[in-house]
Amino acid sequence: MTLSPDTPNRQWILNRRPQGDVRPDDFDLVVGTLPELTDGDVLVRTLFFGYDASQRIWLTDDGGYMDPIMPGEPMRCGGIGQVVASQNPAYQPGQIVEGFMAWQDYAVMRADGPMPLRHLPDAPYPLSWNLGVFGVGGLTAYFGVTDGLKVKAGDTVVISAATGATGSLACQIAKLLGARVIGIAGGPDKCRWIVEHAGCDAAIDYQNEDVGARLAELVPGGVDAYFDNVGGDMLDTLFLHMAPKGRILICGAMSQGYTDVKVQGPTNYMRICTHQLTVQGILLFFYADEIPAAAMQLGQWVQEGRIHVEENRHEGFEKAPELLPTMFTGKAPGKLVLHVADPA
Ligand SMILES: NC(=O)c1ccc[n+]([C@@H]2O[C@H](COP(=O)([O-])OP(=O)(O)OC[C@H]3O[C@@H](n4cnc5c(N)ncnc54)[C@H](OP(=O)(O)O)[C@@H]3O)[C@@H](O)[C@H]2O)c1
């Protein structure tokens, strides 16, 4: 591929900080030129954009656990790309990599930072699965279930946002480890899906059922482990249904919309005291060194047909902004990815 400083580089730029729900018109399409590389930089042509709820946090003034995206900057995302130029000897043109990218045709990447730029292997599965089952969702599910919650055979595990990229894999991994798994999802179709495809033994429809009443019915002895992707009232309800010495993993807070880093905290937290609960957080960054081994284990389960991979795939660079709000409005199950180009 021949590149010159005049090669057009389409970018979706944040034009203003969203107030409340993020909207497609918070972004403008501009055509820039290729950036100059300095020592250590890697220039990547983007192939896939992944969607994560935390992108909404990066759009707040605070930014959460990463620097906030400033108006005038392209929108950050997890992505897959192909190296087209490099000033880092560890990355050569033609190689396929995964890491933090942005909604643009060409992105300058660094190999350092909290999540190093990852070389992707040639593999007999779709490239985009490196954003889903072998990406943030699958890996967080793996570490959350195995290390955070230490799920073991015989546990009763509850998982919220169970159709999501993370939740759907957390359900399957907990089931593989011998747990009884109860998923929580919105609506009868999604509840059916988590039983048929995500390994759940039972489902709770949080939009049409009383979650507390259903937990009392399904788990009268209390929940051993809760993988929390939702926060808010649902977390509060779960506190009342945990078994003594139960474990809670705080992974996300989808119910809070992520429009602000300040979220509704639980009022039933004294259950931590009275029931000797353990509440732990997870951030994939902390497991960076263990990712290759985890990806290998997930790969083996996928190859053996023991994990169902669901992808919610869309096509076309121009769609980037319109897909982001769907993270909070009940998108289809699985990992949301946008295919923007093919490898050269
Ligand atoms: N800590 C980490 O390192 C880490 C890593 C990955 C993800 N996360 C977090 O994990 C959570 C799930 O991420 P994901 O990638 O799996 O997202 P996802 O694929 O978009 O799934 C999110 C699901 O959340 C559900 N949801 C949305 N609003 C809800 C509400 N008000 N109440 C209950 N459920 C709601 C939706 O399902 P329904 O249609 O059933 O409502 C949606 O499918 C997010 O909060 C994300 O930030 C954290």
Side-chain angles (χ1 to χ4, degrees):
M1 175 176 299
T2 313
L3 295 174
S4 79
D6 298 329
T7 301
N9 185 21
R10 291 175 300 168
Q11 300 177 311
W12 281 107
I13 299 286
L14 179 66
N15 62 36
R16 62 176 173 223
R17 214 164 268 309
Q19 299 302 318
D21 296 339
V22 63
R23 296 167 21 166
D25 62 3
D26 292 326
F27 303 91
D28 284 332
L29 182 61
V30 300
V31 182
T33 52
L34 294 190
E36 282 196 19
L37 301 190
T38 56
D39 196 31
D41 284 347
V42 181
L43 183 66
V44 163
R45 179 168 164 263
T46 54
L47 306 176
F48 285 96
F49 300 152
Y51 286 79
D52 297 286
S54 50
Q55 285 174 284
R56 179 63 189 87
I57 309 179
W58 305 337
L59 292 171
T60 62
D61 276 327
D62 181 278
Y65 59 97
M66 293 187 80
D67 289 340
I69 297 163
M70 303 304 287
E73 291 180 353
M75 180 64 197
R76 186 192 301 135
C77 66
I80 293 173
Q82 185 169 34
V83 178
V84 289
S86 174
Q87 296 216 0
N88 180 331
Y91 297 87
Q92 296 302 318
Q95 291 176 333
I96 307 289
V97 292
E98 183 265 348
F100 286 114
M101 299 191 184
W103 292 350
Q104 51 190 349
D105 288 317
Y106 296 92
V108 174
M109 318 267 312
R110 302 283 305 183
D112 44 19
M115 289 290 285
L117 191 56
R118 181 162 68 123
H119 286 290
L120 295 183
D122 275 339
Y125 50 77
L127 193 52
S128 53
W129 286 13
N130 291 295
L131 293 173
V133 61
F134 305 121
V136 177
L139 293 164
T140 304
Y142 177 84
F143 292 120
V145 169
T146 59
D147 186 56
L149 289 175
K150 298 192 168 41
V151 168
K152 56 187 186 313
D155 279 344
T156 294
V157 181
V158 173
I159 298 172
S160 55
T163 61
T166 309
S168 63
L169 289 157
C171 290
Q172 296 183 71
I173 294 166
K175 186 72 187 167
L176 275 169
L177 297 179
R180 174 181 176 230
V181 181
I182 297 168
I184 303 179
D189 290 345
K190 287 188 174 173
C191 284
R192 196 173 315 112
W193 187 88
I194 60 177
V195 171
E196 288 175 1
H197 300 288
C200 291
D201 296 289
I204 300 177
D205 176 354
Y206 76 91
Q207 290 174 349
N208 297 294
E209 295 179 317
D210 177 330
V211 174
R214 286 283 284 141
L215 284 170
E217 183 184 307
L218 288 166
V219 204
V223 174
D224 297 305
Y226 173 47
F227 194 117
D228 179 32
N229 286 312
V230 164
D233 291 341
M234 204 182 287
L235 173 59
D236 233 354
T237 300
L238 259 295
F239 268 116
L240 299 179
H241 293 273
M242 297 304 294
K245 296 200 172 177
R247 295 98 68 197
I248 296 178
L249 183 83
I250 307 295
C251 177
M254 288 304 294
S255 70
Q256 304 295 293
Y258 287 163
T259 55
D260 197 310
V261 290
K262 294 190 194 107
V263 298
Q264 173 195 331
T267 56
N268 295 328
Y269 77 94
M270 280 305 286
R271 283 283 170 133
I272 301 170
C273 168
T274 60
H275 285 58
Q276 244 188 317
L277 306 179
T278 302
V279 181
Q280 189 178 322
I282 186 165
L283 193 59
L284 187 58
F285 292 178
F286 299 129
Y287 291 95
D289 294 343
E290 296 166 59
I291 285 176
M296 198 170 291
Q297 174 62 79
L298 287 166
Q300 188 183 327
W301 282 333
V302 168
Q303 208 171 358
E304 291 168 358
R306 300 172 79 195
I307 283 189
H308 166 80
V309 179
E310 187 80 11
E311 196 171 61
N312 178 5
R313 176 178 162 142
H314 297 257
E315 300 287 334
F317 185 90
E318 67 287 353
K319 291 223 178 84
E322 71 193 60
L323 293 175
L324 188 55
T326 70
M327 295 295 292
F328 298 95
T329 53
K331 64 166 188 54
K335 177 70 182 180
L336 180 60
V337 295
L338 181 64
H339 171 230
V340 295
D342 289 316

XYZ file of all heavy atoms in Angstrom, residues 207-283:
580
model
N -37.216 -6.589 33.017
C -38.169 -5.571 32.540
C -39.617 -5.942 32.857
O -40.484 -5.084 32.901
C -38.011 -5.374 31.031
C -36.696 -4.675 30.688
C -36.435 -4.577 29.196
O -37.125 -5.199 28.388
N -35.399 -3.840 28.833
N -39.871 -7.225 33.064
C -41.263 -7.661 33.267
C -41.478 -8.443 34.554
O -42.604 -8.845 34.844
C -41.710 -8.532 32.079
C -41.691 -7.745 30.786
O -42.457 -6.806 30.618
N -40.771 -8.089 29.897
N -40.395 -8.718 35.287
C -40.541 -9.497 36.520
C -39.924 -8.742 37.685
O -39.052 -7.897 37.487
C -39.842 -10.861 36.364
C -40.492 -11.753 35.316
C -39.761 -13.094 35.159
O -38.510 -13.111 35.140
O -40.452 -14.098 35.057
N -40.355 -9.127 38.895
C -39.767 -8.562 40.108
C -38.504 -9.385 40.405
O -38.583 -10.569 40.761
C -40.811 -8.695 41.234
C -40.285 -8.216 42.572
O -39.067 -8.303 42.821
O -41.115 -7.758 43.381
N -37.342 -8.761 40.225
C -36.078 -9.511 40.326
C -35.928 -10.140 41.713
O -35.542 -11.308 41.853
C -34.865 -8.590 39.999
C -33.545 -9.317 40.236
C -34.948 -8.083 38.556
N -36.293 -9.383 42.756
C -36.168 -9.912 44.120
C -37.049 -11.137 44.335
O -36.609 -12.150 44.894
N -38.292 -11.039 43.866
C -39.225 -12.159 44.057
C -38.733 -13.396 43.305
O -38.798 -14.527 43.816
C -40.620 -11.756 43.576
N -38.222 -13.184 42.100
C -37.731 -14.323 41.310
C -36.486 -14.953 41.954
O -36.308 -16.173 41.949
C -37.414 -13.867 39.881
C -38.642 -13.617 39.055
C -39.284 -14.907 38.572
N -38.522 -15.470 37.468
C -38.285 -16.761 37.267
N -38.767 -17.633 38.135
N -37.598 -17.182 36.240
N -35.627 -14.110 42.532
C -34.437 -14.658 43.196
C -34.857 -15.485 44.418
O -34.310 -16.565 44.669
C -33.496 -13.525 43.623
C -32.684 -12.881 42.497
C -31.982 -11.616 42.992
C -31.651 -13.872 41.923
N -35.843 -14.969 45.153
C -36.306 -15.699 46.344
C -36.849 -17.071 45.948
O -36.642 -18.071 46.651
C -37.374 -14.876 47.054
N -37.495 -17.109 44.784
C -38.097 -18.354 44.302
C -37.004 -19.321 43.777
O -37.000 -20.512 44.088
C -39.031 -17.940 43.172
C -39.859 -18.949 42.491
C -40.598 -18.224 41.330
O -41.264 -17.192 41.564
O -40.461 -18.696 40.184
N -36.069 -18.759 42.998
C -35.069 -19.616 42.336
C -33.906 -20.005 43.253
O -33.308 -21.065 43.100
C -34.488 -18.885 41.104
C -35.392 -18.729 39.896
C -34.810 -17.715 38.912
C -35.587 -20.072 39.203
N -33.548 -19.105 44.172
C -32.365 -19.355 45.022
C -32.715 -19.073 46.486
O -32.196 -18.119 47.091
C -31.166 -18.445 44.603
C -29.852 -19.083 45.022
C -31.154 -18.125 43.129
N -33.566 -19.904 47.083
C -33.987 -19.601 48.466
C -32.818 -19.620 49.452
O -32.851 -18.914 50.466
C -35.002 -20.715 48.776
C -34.827 -21.742 47.715
C -34.226 -21.086 46.527
N -31.779 -20.375 49.130
C -30.630 -20.460 50.052
C -29.638 -19.320 49.860
O -28.645 -19.227 50.588
N -29.866 -18.478 48.874
C -28.969 -17.335 48.641
C -27.984 -17.598 47.508
O -27.627 -18.738 47.206
N -27.553 -16.493 46.913
C -26.660 -16.529 45.751
C -25.209 -16.602 46.240
O -24.804 -15.837 47.110
C -26.873 -15.232 44.915
C -25.879 -15.130 43.775
C -28.318 -15.149 44.424
N -24.442 -17.519 45.672
C -23.023 -17.626 46.083
C -22.170 -16.542 45.434
O -21.219 -16.042 46.052
C -22.465 -19.002 45.691
C -23.187 -20.123 46.398
O -23.241 -20.076 47.639
O -23.728 -21.016 45.714
N -22.452 -16.231 44.163
C -21.592 -15.276 43.452
C -22.442 -14.469 42.478
O -23.258 -15.032 41.742
C -20.491 -16.021 42.703
N -22.231 -13.148 42.479
C -22.982 -12.264 41.582
C -22.006 -11.464 40.720
O -21.168 -10.738 41.237
C -23.881 -11.314 42.378
C -24.553 -10.255 41.515
C -25.176 -10.602 40.315
C -24.569 -8.913 41.889
C -25.780 -9.631 39.509
C -25.175 -7.942 41.099
C -25.772 -8.311 39.910
O -26.358 -7.364 39.101
N -22.130 -11.617 39.399
C -21.297 -10.881 38.420
C -22.141 -9.686 37.995
O -23.097 -9.819 37.234
C -21.001 -11.815 37.233
C -19.908 -11.352 36.311
C -18.742 -12.094 36.144
C -20.042 -10.183 35.566
C -17.725 -11.689 35.280
C -19.041 -9.764 34.702
C -17.887 -10.519 34.558
N -21.773 -8.512 38.504
C -22.625 -7.333 38.336
C -22.165 -6.446 37.193
O -21.122 -5.804 37.271
C -22.622 -6.520 39.642
C -23.465 -5.261 39.525
O -24.468 -5.298 38.774
O -23.125 -4.246 40.169
N -22.991 -6.391 36.152
C -22.714 -5.504 35.014
C -23.627 -4.286 35.007
O -23.540 -3.467 34.095
C -22.952 -6.258 33.694
C -21.863 -7.261 33.406
O -20.688 -6.938 33.492
N -22.248 -8.482 33.065
N -24.514 -4.192 35.996
C -25.637 -3.263 35.888
C -25.671 -2.197 36.988
O -26.055 -1.065 36.758
C -26.954 -4.086 35.851
C -28.168 -3.233 36.123
C -27.095 -4.766 34.491
N -25.274 -2.539 38.216
C -25.287 -1.580 39.324
C -26.696 -1.131 39.683
O -27.686 -1.821 39.423
N -26.808 0.057 40.310
C -28.094 0.679 40.608
C -29.012 -0.193 41.462
O -28.570 -0.891 42.377
N -30.300 -0.149 41.129
C -31.300 -0.874 41.931
C -31.092 -2.390 41.887
O -31.376 -3.099 42.845
C -32.716 -0.568 41.403
C -33.112 0.883 41.678
O -32.487 1.520 42.557
O -34.034 1.375 40.998
N -30.572 -2.876 40.747
C -30.409 -4.333 40.640
C -29.343 -4.831 41.620
O -29.516 -5.848 42.290
C -30.064 -4.723 39.211
C -30.463 -6.161 38.915
S -30.028 -6.678 37.283
C -31.176 -5.841 36.248
N -28.259 -4.095 41.725
C -27.218 -4.460 42.694
C -27.791 -4.409 44.109
O -27.545 -5.311 44.930
C -26.020 -3.503 42.551
C -24.920 -3.628 43.603
C -24.310 -5.027 43.620
C -23.823 -2.581 43.344
N -28.582 -3.382 44.379
C -29.186 -3.257 45.701
C -30.055 -4.473 46.026
O -30.038 -5.000 47.135
C -30.045 -1.984 45.727
C -29.654 -1.093 46.898
O -28.816 -1.514 47.714
O -30.199 0.007 46.983
N -30.815 -4.915 45.021
C -31.678 -6.092 45.214
C -30.833 -7.333 45.466
O -31.139 -8.144 46.344
C -32.570 -6.295 43.970
O -33.364 -5.134 43.808
C -33.456 -7.518 44.094
N -29.758 -7.473 44.712
C -28.905 -8.665 44.870
C -28.324 -8.744 46.275
O -28.193 -9.838 46.847
C -27.818 -8.676 43.806
C -28.044 -9.602 42.596
C -28.043 -11.079 43.010
C -29.311 -9.280 41.825
N -27.964 -7.577 46.856
C -27.418 -7.600 48.218
C -28.349 -8.354 49.165
O -27.907 -9.047 50.071
C -27.216 -6.169 48.741
C -25.838 -5.621 48.467
C -25.655 -4.533 47.641
C -24.716 -6.202 49.066
C -24.390 -4.022 47.391
C -23.446 -5.695 48.826
C -23.276 -4.606 47.988
N -29.665 -8.219 48.931
C -30.644 -8.842 49.837
C -30.799 -10.341 49.590
O -31.485 -11.017 50.347
C -32.009 -8.160 49.665
C -32.040 -6.666 49.985
C -33.442 -6.100 49.760
C -31.593 -6.419 51.431
N -30.173 -10.850 48.525
C -30.360 -12.276 48.186
C -29.037 -13.040 48.146
O -28.976 -14.135 47.601
C -31.110 -12.389 46.851
C -32.515 -11.898 46.967
N -33.556 -12.703 47.369
C -33.030 -10.667 46.801
C -34.664 -11.976 47.431
N -34.365 -10.738 47.093
N -27.984 -12.444 48.729
C -26.699 -13.150 48.742
C -26.663 -14.148 49.902
O -27.207 -13.901 50.989
C -25.539 -12.142 48.901
C -25.397 -11.154 47.756
S -25.195 -11.898 46.117
C -23.598 -12.700 46.274
N -25.993 -15.276 49.663
C -25.769 -16.245 50.736
C -24.689 -15.695 51.680
O -23.876 -14.868 51.264
C -25.302 -17.570 50.130
N -24.653 -16.159 52.910
C -23.540 -15.762 53.784
C -22.201 -16.068 53.107
O -22.049 -17.111 52.458
C -23.748 -16.631 55.032
C -25.215 -16.952 55.026
C -25.615 -17.050 53.578
N -21.258 -15.172 53.240
C -19.934 -15.277 52.605
C -20.005 -15.265 51.079
O -19.103 -15.767 50.398
C -19.166 -16.512 53.098
C -18.842 -16.447 54.571
C -17.724 -17.379 54.929
C -17.300 -17.127 56.372
N -16.278 -18.005 56.849
N -21.089 -14.715 50.541
C -21.221 -14.609 49.082
C -20.213 -13.617 48.517
O -19.659 -12.783 49.236
N -19.972 -13.734 47.205
C -18.999 -12.855 46.528
C -19.717 -12.053 45.441
O -20.528 -12.611 44.693
C -17.890 -13.684 45.853
C -17.006 -14.464 46.806
C -17.425 -15.911 46.933
N -17.233 -16.727 45.740
C -17.802 -17.900 45.520
N -18.634 -18.425 46.422
N -17.567 -18.570 44.409
N -19.370 -10.770 45.382
C -19.930 -9.898 44.344
C -18.774 -9.297 43.555
O -17.802 -8.806 44.142
C -20.787 -8.768 44.969
C -22.003 -9.359 45.694
C -21.226 -7.770 43.892
C -22.901 -8.333 46.382
N -18.876 -9.358 42.224
C -17.864 -8.739 41.367
C -18.484 -7.523 40.680
O -19.481 -7.656 39.965
C -17.380 -9.730 40.301
C -16.263 -9.168 39.427
C -14.914 -9.321 40.127
C -16.221 -9.854 38.068
N -17.905 -6.357 40.890
C -18.402 -5.143 40.233
C -17.633 -4.981 38.928
O -16.437 -4.659 38.924
C -18.188 -3.896 41.135
C -18.783 -4.109 42.536
C -18.769 -2.652 40.442
C -20.282 -4.253 42.601
N -18.346 -5.246 37.823
C -17.711 -5.156 36.504
C -18.171 -3.914 35.757
O -17.378 -3.247 35.095
C -18.036 -6.418 35.709
S -17.374 -6.392 34.039
N -19.451 -3.600 35.864
C -19.976 -2.441 35.141
C -21.246 -1.928 35.797
O -21.734 -2.509 36.772
N -21.767 -0.827 35.276
C -22.959 -0.206 35.864
C -23.858 0.302 34.738
O -24.164 1.487 34.647
C -22.550 0.915 36.813
N -24.270 -0.618 33.865
C -25.046 -0.241 32.676
C -26.282 0.588 33.011
O -26.664 1.465 32.246
C -25.496 -1.498 31.918
C -24.423 -2.254 31.185
S -23.508 -1.269 30.004
C -24.739 -0.878 28.782
N -26.900 0.313 34.149
C -28.159 1.024 34.469
C -27.916 2.512 34.685
O -28.858 3.295 34.654
C -28.803 0.426 35.726
O -28.022 0.748 36.868
N -26.676 2.903 34.894
C -26.389 4.301 35.218
C -26.125 5.151 33.968
O -25.903 6.346 34.062
C -25.194 4.373 36.171
C -25.403 3.552 37.442
C -26.546 4.102 38.281
O -26.451 5.191 38.816
N -27.633 3.352 38.358
N -26.108 4.492 32.808
C -25.959 5.234 31.556
C -24.591 5.834 31.317
O -24.302 6.314 30.231
N -23.744 5.865 32.344
C -22.354 6.341 32.224
C -22.250 7.788 31.737
O -21.261 8.176 31.131
C -21.548 5.440 31.284
C -21.199 4.088 31.862
C -20.797 3.046 31.032
C -21.253 3.838 33.223
C -20.454 1.803 31.546
C -20.920 2.587 33.748
C -20.532 1.583 32.903
O -20.185 0.355 33.406
N -23.294 8.580 32.009
C -23.208 9.981 31.588
C -22.403 10.799 32.591
O -22.095 11.957 32.354
C -24.620 10.591 31.459
O -25.287 10.408 32.707
C -25.395 9.905 30.351
N -22.095 10.208 33.715
C -21.322 10.863 34.759
C -20.567 9.760 35.492
O -21.049 8.635 35.570
C -22.290 11.574 35.728
C -21.567 12.599 36.585
O -20.534 12.240 37.177
O -22.039 13.748 36.653
N -19.388 10.089 36.026
C -18.675 9.045 36.774
C -19.284 8.844 38.168
O -18.998 7.856 38.836
C -17.161 9.337 36.897
C -16.487 9.174 35.565
C -16.896 10.712 37.495
N -20.120 9.803 38.609
C -20.788 9.627 39.911
C -22.058 8.817 39.667
O -22.924 9.234 38.896
C -21.167 10.985 40.499
C -19.966 11.831 40.860
C -20.427 13.043 41.670
C -19.311 14.062 41.749
N -19.533 15.236 40.914
N -22.156 7.660 40.310
C -23.320 6.793 40.077
C -24.021 6.504 41.401
O -23.464 6.731 42.487
C -22.904 5.455 39.399
C -22.280 5.717 38.050
C -21.972 4.658 40.293
N -25.239 5.973 41.276
C -26.031 5.624 42.465
C -25.381 4.450 43.200
O -25.182 3.386 42.619
C -27.442 5.244 41.997
C -28.348 4.702 43.083
C -29.561 4.013 42.476
O -30.017 4.356 41.389
N -30.081 3.015 43.190
N -25.063 4.661 44.458
C -24.466 3.583 45.253
C -25.545 2.754 45.922
O -26.697 3.160 46.000
N -25.170 1.573 46.435
C -26.176 0.697 47.061
C -26.574 1.184 48.452
O -25.729 1.686 49.199
C -25.457 -0.652 47.144
C -24.005 -0.323 47.138
C -23.841 0.965 46.376
N -27.845 1.035 48.788
C -28.266 1.373 50.151
C -28.250 0.134 51.051
O -28.220 0.252 52.262
C -29.690 1.965 50.155
O -30.550 1.033 49.526
C -29.741 3.284 49.406
N -28.275 -1.049 50.438
C -28.311 -2.287 51.244
C -26.908 -2.816 51.538
O -26.723 -4.010 51.775
C -29.119 -3.364 50.511
C -30.574 -2.972 50.383
O -31.114 -2.296 51.257
N -31.211 -3.370 49.296
N -25.931 -1.925 51.541
C -24.543 -2.404 51.652
C -24.217 -2.961 53.034
O -23.192 -3.647 53.196
C -23.558 -1.300 51.249
C -23.344 -0.236 52.290
C -22.289 -0.326 53.191
C -24.196 0.845 52.382
C -22.100 0.645 54.150
C -24.023 1.814 53.338
C -22.976 1.715 54.228
O -22.793 2.665 55.185
N -25.072 -2.731 54.047
C -24.766 -3.324 55.360
C -24.825 -4.853 55.313
O -24.343 -5.534 56.219
C -25.709 -2.772 56.439
C -25.285 -1.392 56.955
S -23.562 -1.357 57.559
C -23.719 -2.225 59.117
N -25.402 -5.383 54.232
C -25.364 -6.846 54.041
C -23.921 -7.348 53.911
O -23.641 -8.517 54.166
C -26.136 -7.232 52.771
C -27.627 -7.194 52.965
C -28.071 -8.417 53.737
N -29.458 -8.289 54.126
C -30.370 -9.237 53.986
N -30.043 -10.392 53.467
N -31.593 -9.048 54.399
N -23.028 -6.468 53.486
C -21.606 -6.868 53.421
C -21.153 -7.236 54.831
O -20.435 -8.221 55.043
C -20.736 -5.716 52.871
C -21.201 -5.306 51.479
C -19.250 -6.109 52.848
C -20.559 -4.009 50.957
N -21.622 -6.455 55.789
C -21.267 -6.677 57.185
C -22.005 -7.893 57.758
O -21.391 -8.822 58.272
C -21.597 -5.381 57.934
S -21.583 -5.491 59.700
N -23.333 -7.892 57.611
C -24.122 -8.928 58.293
C -23.987 -10.306 57.643
O -24.193 -11.327 58.284
C -25.619 -8.559 58.313
O -26.072 -8.424 56.948
C -25.848 -7.249 59.053
N -23.625 -10.343 56.358
C -23.502 -11.624 55.659
C -22.063 -11.929 55.257
O -21.810 -12.844 54.482
C -24.400 -11.654 54.412
C -25.843 -11.832 54.748
N -26.530 -10.966 55.564
C -26.738 -12.787 54.379
C -27.782 -11.384 55.697
N -27.929 -12.495 54.987
N -21.136 -11.138 55.795
C -19.700 -11.365 55.529
C -19.424 -11.495 54.028
O -18.741 -12.418 53.570
C -19.236 -12.639 56.235
C -18.203 -12.375 57.293
C -17.631 -13.668 57.847
O -18.354 -14.626 58.109
N -16.323 -13.698 58.012
N -20.007 -10.594 53.255
C -19.841 -10.652 51.800
C -18.482 -10.084 51.394
O -17.926 -9.235 52.085
C -20.945 -9.845 51.103
C -22.390 -10.200 51.456
C -23.346 -9.293 50.685
C -22.690 -11.664 51.139
N -18.001 -10.546 50.259
C -16.809 -9.946 49.651
C -17.241 -9.235 48.381
O -17.911 -9.833 47.529
C -15.784 -11.037 49.271
O -15.458 -11.753 50.452
C -14.524 -10.431 48.676
N -16.882 -7.962 48.261
C -17.209 -7.184 47.068
C -15.899 -6.752 46.433
O -15.065 -6.122 47.080
C -18.068 -5.949 47.409
C -18.413 -5.180 46.139
C -19.334 -6.357 48.153
N -15.717 -7.132 45.191
C -14.442 -6.872 44.520
C -14.700 -6.245 43.151
O -15.717 -6.538 42.523
C -13.698 -8.203 44.351
C -12.280 -8.037 43.857
C -11.570 -9.378 43.745
O -11.772 -10.249 44.595
N -10.768 -9.552 42.727
N -13.781 -5.423 42.711
C -13.906 -4.837 41.376
C -13.034 -5.583 40.379
O -12.223 -6.428 40.747
N -13.236 -5.248 39.115
C -12.360 -5.806 38.073
C -12.102 -4.741 37.021
O -12.992 -3.961 36.674
C -12.961 -7.066 37.414
C -11.942 -7.680 36.445
C -14.276 -6.782 36.697
C -12.265 -9.091 36.009
N -10.871 -4.672 36.550
C -10.527 -3.849 35.392
C -9.504 -4.676 34.619
O -8.492 -5.124 35.181
C -9.931 -2.509 35.843
C -9.808 -1.442 34.757
C -11.169 -1.096 34.141
C -9.179 -0.171 35.325
